[in-house]
Amino acid sequence: MTHRSRNQPRRASAASRFKNSISRVLTVSLLAGSLTAAVGQPAAAAEIPTGARSLQSVNVPGYYLRHSNYLGGIAAVTSASAATAKSDATFTVTPGLAGGAGCVSFQAANGMWLRHRDYRVRLEANNGSTTFLADATFCVRDGSSAGSVRLESLNYPGRFIRHRDYELWLDTSATNPGTFTADSSFLVGTPWAAGRRSPVIKGLYGDPNIAYLNGRYYLYPTTDGYAGWSSTRFKAFSSTDLVNWTDHGTILDLGPQISWSDSRAWAPTIAYRNNRYYFYFCADTNIGVATSTSPTGPFTDPLGRPLVAAGFRSGQMIDPHVFTDDDGASYLYWGNGYAYGVRLNADMVSYDSAQVRTFSLPNFREALFVFKRNGVYYMSYSVDDTRSENYHVEYATGTTPFGPWTHRGTILAKNLSLGVKGPGHHSVVKAPTGDTWYIAYHRFAVPAGDGTNREVTIDPMRFNADGTIQPVTPTL
Ligand code: FUB
């Protein structure tokens, strides 16, 4: 395949190129922040840190790798550029979709990925095929100048992303050999735009329980990244805007703080009553409760035993949730395979076990979550297995905290074109003003997570005029 060279930027002489390279680094530093390395420093093994990045052409300063009309190219971007131009020139760098040591993939703000097809670099949705994953994976090599990188195709070794006529192609060095190395070299800088906004809390977490308490949003998740979900600690995060989150560290550590269990710290939830915060949590498939005067602890166990012990009823005694009704009565919901609910006593740490209800909910697996809007009780829950990409959220509505429940359908499900798999174990929060609602949930970490390597995100949740919930569109 030959391609006519048109509109090619004029090339500078070697001497002025060197001079320009110094001023280019200064310019880039000012415009785009820190680079992976600067001219004058010894070249380190090429790498690109994950996260949002912008990549500047080495030999066309001020021109950045970007997508336009779903095709890759380079274009000028400055601080005065439109937000769209900045966003199009920003990619979230992830470990390579197809793996490979030192290999990465590039995801745009709309969730699509840079991939090559017919040697043209394009922006396309991930269809999950082996070909797509390989076509979207590029291995980082040293570039033509210190600190710059080149991107070699994983499945077409010897072919690199390069610009030609301001377009991005996957070329070999035989294509325009005179300029090939420089045309395929990029300086990696801080991003022009925010890039992918999720996960909202950085790192691997699942089962996010969101609550609005005392003027802030709080998230209480399971800590992921452990085989068999074997973490033993709970953390808390808070935010005023659902975007910037403060990590409050460990708020409950099963080992030293809970006498009756020190394993499998899962799926907590919080409630506020009697001027105290009540933190309900799973520990080795028992449900415990700990209390504090602060939403970030320290929490202490008032019972010295589980609130709901393993074996109390059929199924696993996990995934507690507490809903407090307008009349002040609080209800505890929980279960896996079997859905349970009971009214808590006013002390929030006891209940009448003879009054435990079992609910019939189509497809129910776990993670019950109840909320109330306009007098309607919404019973939402997760379906399938958290290790399956088909894990999802369905819901029912009722006229009391105990139903009867009418199944309404699916709220949230996978979206493979965005790389969203296994979205579930959600929670719901209403903003302090208006009729604005959000759903927090986990999904397999993007791009390479699974059922024990999950990450947390939040999306708006909207209602139809008849009170049914609109399917949530997962965003990134
Ligand atoms: O995080 C451990 C378990 O995975 C939770 O208890 C379940 O709901 C599932 O998300």
Side-chain angles (χ1 to χ4, degrees):
M1 227 179 338
T2 56
H3 298 277
R4 193 163 58 86
S5 202
R6 61 184 152 75
N7 300 329
Q8 193 71 355
R10 228 168 354 135
R11 307 253 173 256
S13 70
S16 68
R17 235 184 2 247
F18 175 72
K19 202 167 113 211
N20 287 344
S21 74
I22 305 264
S23 69
R24 184 170 64 240
V25 168
L26 291 174
T27 308
V28 170
S29 298
L30 287 172
L31 285 177
S34 60
L35 302 170
T36 51
V39 170
Q41 292 175 351
E47 62 175 35
I48 303 180
T50 55
R53 308 281 166 215
S54 290
L55 278 73
Q56 184 180 203
S57 163
V58 154
N59 58 350
V60 193
Y63 277 58
Y64 287 80
L65 193 151
R66 58 90 65 102
H67 64 87
S68 174
N69 295 326
Y70 305 105
L71 292 171
I74 58 168
V77 185
T78 70
S79 54
S81 295
T84 314
K86 290 178 177 173
S87 175
D88 290 350
T90 301
F91 294 88
T92 299
V93 179
T94 72
L97 288 177
C103 303
V104 296
S105 293
F106 297 89
Q107 189 172 32
N110 64 5
M112 294 180 172
W113 300 81
L114 280 187
R115 62 91 59 102
H116 63 83
R117 183 157 57 77
D118 300 332
Y119 304 124
R120 184 73 163 92
V121 177
R122 307 156 191 274
L123 193 74
E124 291 186 359
N126 180 1
N127 62 16
S129 70
T130 307
T131 302
F132 181 94
L133 300 178
D135 288 353
T137 300
F138 303 94
C139 303
V140 184
R141 311 291 182 223
D142 287 325
S144 62
S145 63
S148 71
V149 298
R150 297 200 299 155
L151 299 162
E152 184 177 18
S153 165
L154 176 75
N155 53 354
Y156 286 81
R159 283 186 175 265
F160 291 79
I161 292 182
R162 65 88 64 93
H163 65 84
R164 179 151 53 82
D165 302 337
Y166 302 109
E167 299 172 344
L168 290 183
W169 290 86
L170 195 74
D171 276 352
T172 68
S173 59
T175 322
N176 289 1
T179 57
F180 176 78
T181 305
D183 287 351
S184 57
S185 295
F186 299 91
L187 291 159
V188 182
T190 50
W192 282 112
R196 179 150 64 82
R197 63 175 182 83
S198 64
V200 294
I201 48 176
K202 303 305 171 200
L204 297 173
Y205 298 95
D207 312 325
N209 185 259
I210 193 165
Y212 189 79
L213 303 165
N214 202 20
R216 293 181 75 81
Y217 293 97
Y218 285 84
L219 272 174
Y220 301 91
T222 299
T223 303
D224 260 24
Y226 296 87
W229 309 280
S230 54
S231 168
T232 57
R233 295 177 186 181
F234 292 103
K235 295 181 71 171
F237 300 81
S238 74
S239 171
T240 54
D241 57 9
L242 296 172
V243 175
N244 300 292
W245 290 89
T246 301
D247 183 345
H248 296 283
T250 298
I251 58 164
L252 185 70
D253 187 344
L254 295 184
Q257 290 176 262
I258 299 298
S259 60
W260 44 269
S261 173
D262 62 1
S263 71
R264 293 192 281 177
W266 297 354
T269 193
I270 193 120
Y272 177 71
R273 191 164 171 180
N274 311 329
N275 293 318
R276 293 191 75 78
Y277 295 91
Y278 295 85
F279 184 70
Y280 302 84
F281 57 93
C282 307
D284 206 13
T285 70
N286 304 269
I287 293 171
V289 60
T291 74
S292 175
T293 54
S294 161
T296 55
F299 285 94
T300 54
D301 175 1
L303 299 178
R305 58 174 169 75
L307 176 65
V308 185
F312 171 65
R313 289 281 193 281
S314 298
Q316 293 185 60
M317 301 298 106
I318 62 170
D319 294 0
H321 166 60
V322 170
F323 163 71
T324 299
D325 208 346
D326 301 330
D327 63 2
S330 293
Y331 299 85
L332 175 68
Y333 301 89
W334 76 96
N336 172 292
Y338 298 83
Y340 300 112
V342 69
R343 181 174 170 155
L344 286 166
N345 292 330
D347 64 7
M348 300 291 275
V349 299
S350 65
Y351 54 90
D352 180 348
S353 58
Q355 298 302 315
V356 171
R357 309 283 192 99
T358 306
F359 307 121
S360 174
L361 297 166
N363 311 321
F364 170 75
R365 173 63 63 90
E366 60 196 9
L368 294 170
F369 191 95
V370 173
F371 61 96
K372 189 178 183 182
R373 177 180 178 270
N374 295 341
V376 176
Y377 296 83
Y378 291 79
M379 168 67 90
S380 48
Y381 52 91
S382 293
V383 176
D384 211 310
D385 189 305
T386 192
R387 292 163 293 190
S388 162
E389 69 175 42
N390 298 319
Y391 195 57
H392 67 275
V393 179
E394 298 188 12
Y395 79 110
T397 57
T399 50
T400 80
F402 290 142
W405 302 113
T406 302
H407 186 238
R408 299 290 182 188
T410 296
I411 303 175
L412 173 68
K414 68 181 177 183
N415 182 331
L416 294 184
S417 70
L418 293 177
V420 172
K421 297 177 181 174
H425 200 123
H426 69 300
S427 54
V428 171
V429 70
K430 182 179 175 300
T433 56
D435 189 27
T436 304
W437 296 75
Y438 298 96
I439 181 167
Y441 58 96
H442 71 231
R443 62 180 185 228
F444 290 8
V446 174
D450 55 28
T452 54
N453 293 283
R454 304 167 294 185
E455 61 189 16
V456 168
T457 191
I458 300 171
D459 276 311
M461 195 178 79
R462 299 188 177 91
F463 296 83
N464 296 309
D466 64 0
T468 53
I469 301 174
Q470 296 177 6
V472 170
T473 304
T475 60
L476 294 164

